[in-house]
Amino acid sequence: MSHPQPLTPEAKLADAKKRLGLPRIVVICGSTRFMAEMAEADLREAGAGRIVVKPGCDMKSSHELWSDPAEAQALKVRLDDLHRAKIRLADEVLVVGDYIGDSTRAEIAYARSLGKPVRFTHPEVDPDA
């Protein structure tokens, strides 16, 4: 007698999103130097009926939350962890901008390791192309 294999957490999440009838979820990745382009991509993706998640702040701009260097480093670690969680939640990744830095390259590799489709606003910057 064959027993069904238990669902992985990823399969459970995909099943729950399907049962809830949720639209596709897109996570926007890219350098925070492209925050204006990310806002435009957010508008276009939402207009196409997708749920959009993206970086929540630009640590290159001054703000009291990251004015202390030690606090800024701790916040950066938390934000990186949060963005990886957004990638796990998403159905696909949209990379914005014509430049790929180390952090974005790592996010792309992480998304692909999870089997997430990755799209680019500038396909020529795809590190695997």
Side-chain angles (χ1 to χ4, degrees):
M1 179 168 163
S2 172
H3 297 287
Q5 293 290 344
L7 293 176
T8 64
E10 293 81 8
K12 287 180 182 179
L13 177 60
D15 183 59
K17 289 191 296 188
K18 182 178 178 181
R19 287 174 185 253
L20 290 168
L22 294 178
R24 283 187 71 75
I25 301 172
V26 177
V27 62
I28 295 176
C29 294
S31 171
T32 55
R33 70 174 75 168
F34 300 116
M35 290 300 276
E37 290 89 342
M38 288 181 189
E40 178 67 21
D42 185 346
L43 176 65
R44 292 184 182 280
E45 293 295 315
R50 298 178 190 98
I51 295 172
V52 180
V53 291
K54 64 182 192 225
C57 61
D58 174 8
M59 291 185 67
K60 292 177 182 150
S61 300
S62 63
H63 192 281
E64 66 184 54
L65 286 177
W66 49 85
S67 59
D68 174 77
E71 288 294 319
Q73 184 57 36
L75 178 60
K76 171 83 168 102
V77 170
R78 289 193 307 273
L79 291 173
D80 287 348
D81 288 345
L82 183 60
H83 203 67
R84 280 189 296 278
K86 292 174 185 179
I87 292 169
R88 286 192 310 274
L89 175 68
D91 299 303
E92 63 182 304
V93 173
L94 174 60
V95 180
V96 173
D98 60 359
Y99 161 81
I100 303 290
D102 292 338
S103 293
T104 304
R105 189 178 314 277
E107 292 166 356
I108 293 165
Y110 182 63
R112 286 181 167 153
S113 78
L114 297 173
K116 307 284 180 171
V118 179
R119 294 186 285 130
F120 293 81
T121 60
H122 293 78
E124 69 274 9
V125 300
D126 183 346
D128 294 338

